Amino acid sequence: MKKVSKFLVICSTVLALLGLVSCEKKQVLKLYSWTYYTPTDVVKAFEQEFNCKVIVTEYDSNETMFNKLVNGGAKSFDIVVPSQDYVSILMAKGMLQPIDQGKFTNRNKINPKILEKITYDPDMTYAVPYYFGAAGISVNKKKVPGGDYDRSWNIFADSRFKGHASMMDDYREVIGDALTYKGYSVCTKNDDELKEAVDLIKNDWLPNIVKIDAEGFGKDFARGDLWLCQGYAEVIYGEVPEEEWESTIDFWIPEEGGPSYLDSMCILKDSKNAGLATEFINFIHRPENYAKFLDFFRFPCYVNLEAEQYMTTEPMYPASVMENCELKDDIGDYLENYYNLWEKLRILN
């Protein structure tokens, strides 16, 4: 009897301990986002405040993200951060769930001008803006001093940059630049407008372009091999030593605007932690937290205007230059026309 009693006591103790461990088990939030897109200190602060664990899985393109989700990965994550066209696609496929607006208390921090641009979800029912950005133009001032060059997208027609210019391997971006310069929408479905833009690239820009490249142009610019680049500021500034920024980099987004993107935080339909996911989205948009994100990348403050007062760094360019930029919205099956024309252009380079 004593042995049985002792055994029961031991079992009871073990079960109690297991119960205690179970009670203290932390919730896990699974975030699927762009590479290096969420500052570690912000994630750690969220984990501490909400007594949870955040697991971040990264992707390098919307296509990679989408393929993973539709091939069984959607059940593995809570939050995903797609760009505007893929938000539309995920919404249409019923892969997202509505944001709990009662918990999203920082919705009033979102810039109203952003909401005007997101015609696919203007009330933030499924998608909360994370970052609004655009590619621009970088000139190496050491190679082309004086600044007497065209500050529109047609700078790529300037023969002074022949053999030292590059554009990104991104057909929505490059064709979008040409469409913008011609005064057309970056989302046009007009065959004549599209042809006019492609002819401009083919006849005036390509003769001066030495490389179509979406990844290595920053390093080539920093080495001095490229004098003119179309691309994202963070790629250029990330490769040039900070002490040389002022003397080397002239970056701008043309006054006429250009293609832009808006990455948004969305909760997947099969999320196992939708409540915690909403808390994370709301946490990100506390102005003091969002400022840490902007400081990390030296991004301009456009999405969450109140965050600017908490910023400690100087952004790479002012937010105002993105006013005229247009989102690359989903254009459905017509996208194939852009792709086919781009493939023909790439063969010529």
Side-chain angles (χ1 to χ4, degrees):
M1 289 297 291
K2 287 183 179 179
K3 290 183 178 179
V4 173
S5 298
K6 189 175 182 180
F7 176 75
L8 290 174
V9 169
I10 293 173
C11 288
S12 297
T13 302
V14 171
L15 289 173
L17 288 173
L18 288 175
L20 182 61
V21 171
S22 177
C23 289
E24 293 182 349
K25 185 177 180 180
K26 294 182 178 180
Q27 284 185 293
V28 176
L29 181 70
K30 297 181 179 180
L31 172 65
Y32 193 30
S33 186
W34 297 86
T35 305
Y36 306 125
Y37 214 28
T38 313
T40 303
D41 57 345
V42 175
V43 170
K44 288 183 176 179
F46 179 79
E47 289 177 326
Q48 183 174 3
E49 181 171 333
F50 288 88
N51 190 31
C52 66
K53 175 66 178 176
V54 178
I55 297 176
V56 182
T57 304
E58 299 174 336
Y59 53 83
D60 58 4
S61 71
N62 281 294
E63 291 76 17
T64 298
M65 172 272 298
F66 182 70
N67 287 335
K68 188 175 185 68
L69 293 183
V70 297
N71 286 294
K75 296 181 182 295
S76 303
F77 305 105
D78 298 297
I79 297 176
V80 68
V81 192
S83 300
Q84 65 291 330
D85 46 348
Y86 277 84
V87 170
S88 296
I89 293 170
L90 292 173
M91 286 172 59
K93 289 185 172 294
M95 296 176 68
L96 305 177
Q97 64 174 279
I99 305 292
D100 184 342
Q101 300 299 322
K103 289 184 177 180
F104 182 30
T105 57
N106 288 320
R107 64 173 290 125
N108 63 335
K109 304 295 192 296
I110 306 300
N111 185 351
K113 290 184 178 180
I114 282 290
L115 301 182
E116 292 174 4
K117 293 178 181 291
I118 52 176
T119 55
Y120 51 87
D121 189 22
D123 296 323
M124 296 184 287
T125 302
Y126 294 97
V128 175
Y130 186 61
Y131 183 67
F132 175 60
I137 296 168
S138 295
V139 168
N140 189 320
K141 293 192 289 186
K142 292 180 179 178
K143 299 296 184 179
V144 189
D148 61 333
Y149 33 75
D150 190 351
R151 299 187 74 82
S152 76
W153 289 113
N154 204 41
I155 187 175
F156 290 94
D158 190 334
S159 60
R160 284 180 295 177
F161 297 99
K162 185 177 179 65
H164 297 284
S166 78
M167 299 193 81
M168 292 196 300
D169 190 5
D170 186 322
Y171 57 96
R172 288 297 301 272
E173 285 288 336
V174 177
I175 295 177
D177 296 340
L179 286 168
T180 300
Y181 179 72
K182 287 292 185 178
Y184 306 133
S185 168
V186 303
C187 302
T188 187
K189 295 182 181 180
N190 182 299
D191 290 345
D192 292 335
E193 293 176 356
L194 189 57
K195 182 180 184 304
E196 194 174 333
V198 169
D199 285 345
L200 172 66
I201 298 169
K202 176 182 176 181
N203 299 324
D204 296 352
W205 296 1
L206 274 185
N208 297 321
I209 295 173
V210 69
K211 183 181 289 189
I212 299 292
D213 174 28
E215 297 179 358
F217 64 89
K219 288 182 171 60
D220 291 338
F221 184 93
R223 282 197 301 267
D225 296 336
L226 291 177
W227 304 350
L228 169 65
C229 293
Q230 176 243 8
Y232 298 112
E234 56 267 28
V235 177
I236 296 293
Y237 282 87
E239 295 294 343
V240 176
E242 187 170 352
E243 63 271 17
E244 297 180 22
W245 285 0
E246 181 63 31
S247 63
T248 305
I249 305 171
D250 183 8
F251 175 86
W252 72 94
I253 294 174
E255 186 176 347
E256 64 264 28
S260 62
Y261 66 90
L262 177 63
D263 297 327
S264 296
M265 295 177 285
C266 305
I267 302 177
L268 290 162
K269 183 180 179 180
D270 295 321
S271 167
K272 297 178 179 63
N273 264 317
L276 188 60
T278 306
E279 293 287 6
F280 182 83
I281 292 171
N282 198 53
F283 184 83
I284 288 292
H285 275 299
R286 289 183 194 171
E288 61 273 23
N289 291 334
Y290 193 75
K292 293 177 182 177
F293 161 67
L294 298 176
D295 282 338
F296 184 78
F297 288 102
R298 298 220 178 190
F299 281 156
C301 186
Y302 195 93
V303 170
N304 184 325
L305 298 180
E306 289 188 31
E308 188 169 18
Q309 63 186 304
Y310 298 99
M311 293 179 66
T312 60
T313 62
E314 186 72 22
M316 294 174 290
Y317 53 93
S320 58
V321 301
M322 295 188 290
E323 291 284 352
N324 295 327
C325 292
E326 181 185 1
L327 287 177
K328 297 173 290 184
D329 286 333
D330 177 28
I331 53 176
D333 294 340
Y334 196 82
L335 183 64
E336 188 174 350
N337 294 331
Y338 283 70
Y339 176 77
N340 291 335
L341 289 168
W342 177 248
E343 286 301 297
K344 293 177 180 178
L345 286 172
R346 288 189 84 261
I347 292 174
L348 299 174
N349 183 249

